[in-house]
Amino acid sequence: FIQPVAQDVLNEESDEPELILEVYLQQAFSEANALNLIVGNIVNTEELVSLQMDIVRNRLLYVNTVVSVISLSVAMASLVGSMFGMNLTNHMENDETAFVEVVVGTLVGTAVILVLILVLIAKSGVMPVNPRKVLYSRRRIDSMR
């Protein structure tokens, strides 16, 4: 099935194989560039997903911090109530307005401590000044492009 090829045909130069190989080389470079572009898009998508997960984590940490501060304020109020509930004698047993004074003072003190701690945390830069931007933001990272 293999026929001998004449020597003059073998010596004749032809540009066709070189052109065909050059076209294949161009196509291979094109495919390699397309794959590099896809890899870059995958890396960018991973970074966007990571940023979105960071945003959700930060929101959860913010809510956790606020709940912890509220819990601390309520614990301080219960401390005042437990001190007055120890059945120790003091000058307030016969005062008719002592109960209202203690309750109002405890509530006001709790609110002041709560606001003071939240303001100190916000001024230190740990928590945002406007919590609505953190909690209720519908803005997505990929819409910034």
Side-chain angles (χ1 to χ4, degrees), residues 1-117:
F1 291 99
I2 300 177
Q3 297 180 355
V5 179
Q7 190 62 31
D8 58 342
V9 172
L10 288 176
N11 291 338
E12 182 180 313
E13 281 192 30
S14 175
D15 289 339
E16 285 182 33
E18 186 178 340
L19 291 174
I20 290 172
L21 288 175
E22 193 172 313
V23 167
Y24 284 144
L25 182 64
Q26 293 274 340
Q27 191 173 4
F29 283 148
S30 174
E31 295 297 325
N33 286 337
L35 288 175
N36 286 335
L37 181 65
I38 289 172
V39 167
N41 286 341
I42 289 172
V43 168
N44 288 340
T45 303
E46 286 176 352
E47 289 175 0
L48 286 174
V49 169
S50 176
L51 286 173
Q52 288 174 348
M53 289 185 344
D54 288 345
I55 288 172
V56 171
R57 186 190 70 227
N58 289 343
R59 286 178 183 170
L60 290 173
L61 288 172
Y62 176 76
V63 169
N64 187 22
T65 303
V66 170
V67 168
S68 296
V69 168
I70 291 171
S71 169
L72 175 70
S73 297
V74 170
M76 293 174 93
S78 67
L79 175 70
V80 172
S82 65
M83 285 183 182
F84 277 101
M86 285 200 262
N87 295 328
L88 298 175
T89 57
N90 56 24
H91 67 283
M92 295 182 150
E93 285 90 13
N94 298 327
D95 191 4
E96 293 183 15
T97 61
F99 179 76
V100 174
E101 290 173 1
V102 169
V103 168
V104 169
T106 303
L107 292 177
V108 168
T110 300
V112 166
I113 289 173
L114 174 67
V115 170
L116 182 67
I117 291 174

Side-chain angles (χ1 to χ4, degrees), residues 130-144:
N130 189 356
R132 289 181 185 235
K133 287 184 179 179
V134 174
L135 293 177
Y136 303 117
S137 174
R138 298 280 183 203
R139 194 166 139 199
R140 294 178 53 98
I141 293 295
D142 54 358
S143 66
M144 289 184 186

Side-chain angles (χ1 to χ4, degrees), residues 116-129:
L116 182 67
I117 291 174
L118 289 177
V119 166
L120 286 175
I121 290 175
K123 289 223 185 242
S124 70
V126 176
M127 286 175 40
V129 178

